[in-house]
Amino acid sequence: MHQIEWHDSHSVGVPSIDEQHKRLVALTNRLFLAIMDETGETALGDVLDELADYAVYHFTHEEGLLHLHGYPDELLTEHRAEHAALTDQVHEYIERYREDPACLDLSVYVFLRDWTTEHMSRSDSKYSEFLQARAAE
Ligand SMILES: [Fe+2]
């Protein structure tokens, strides 16, 4: 089990989005460390809250750019649905954590790690060329 490493293949070629993705990766990695640290239950709650807030901030930015540059409705709706599902899932983890701080284990990290890396390499890479061409206009 290890942390996520940023690779150039994760880049979508849009600097503001890449920076935000790096921050999301860093937060997900902090979650890993907080879960591993058995005395770190308070830290875990803080990281989860920060992750939830930052994910919403980032998704709003990304969806806003796609909308601004005329990304096709069908693709944008699909993309928004993925973001919404992740946001709901993180809020569910936060609720679970509030009921029982000891209940979150590495499966939470594994889920977020896989979601983040899959989403960047599959869903976000789909808009990469589109957005690079439009954003440069
Ligand atoms: Fe996305």
Side-chain angles (χ1 to χ4, degrees):
M1 184 73 61
H2 41 71
Q3 300 185 45
I4 310 173
E5 273 183 49
W6 175 269
H7 294 290
D8 287 345
S9 62
H10 291 136
S11 170
V12 295
V14 180
S16 64
I17 294 180
D18 282 348
E19 284 314 305
Q20 291 176 7
H21 280 163
K22 284 178 187 169
R23 175 112 181 94
L24 272 183
V25 164
L27 278 168
T28 307
N29 284 336
R30 264 177 59 202
L31 185 80
F32 169 74
L33 295 175
I35 293 170
M36 293 292 282
D37 176 5
E38 285 169 9
T39 61
E41 283 172 11
T42 315
L44 179 55
D46 290 347
V47 178
L48 267 179
D49 286 341
E50 203 177 332
L51 190 64
D53 288 349
Y54 197 76
V56 168
Y57 166 77
H58 163 62
F59 294 158
T60 305
H61 173 79
E62 196 178 86
E63 290 166 13
L65 270 185
L66 291 171
H67 178 70
L68 178 73
H69 292 291
Y71 197 53
D73 278 347
E74 199 185 323
L75 292 174
L76 184 53
T77 302
E78 222 173 74
H79 205 106
R80 277 200 170 112
E82 282 191 34
H83 288 168
L86 192 274
T87 306
D88 287 351
Q89 182 61 65
V90 173
H91 283 112
E92 196 191 309
Y93 287 145
I94 289 172
E95 263 171 49
R96 256 196 252 172
Y97 171 81
R98 290 211 173 108
E99 278 167 26
D100 175 14
C103 78
L104 295 190
D105 58 21
L106 279 174
S107 65
V108 174
Y109 165 71
V110 170
F111 172 82
L112 291 169
R113 177 197 67 189
D114 292 350
W115 190 92
T116 304
T117 47
E118 286 277 316
H119 183 81
M120 286 191 298
S121 33
R122 288 197 187 176
S123 309
D124 291 339
S125 70
K126 266 195 212 168
Y127 68 62
S128 173
E129 275 187 30
F130 174 90
L131 208 51
Q132 284 183 75
R134 301 301 192 289
E137 274 171 11

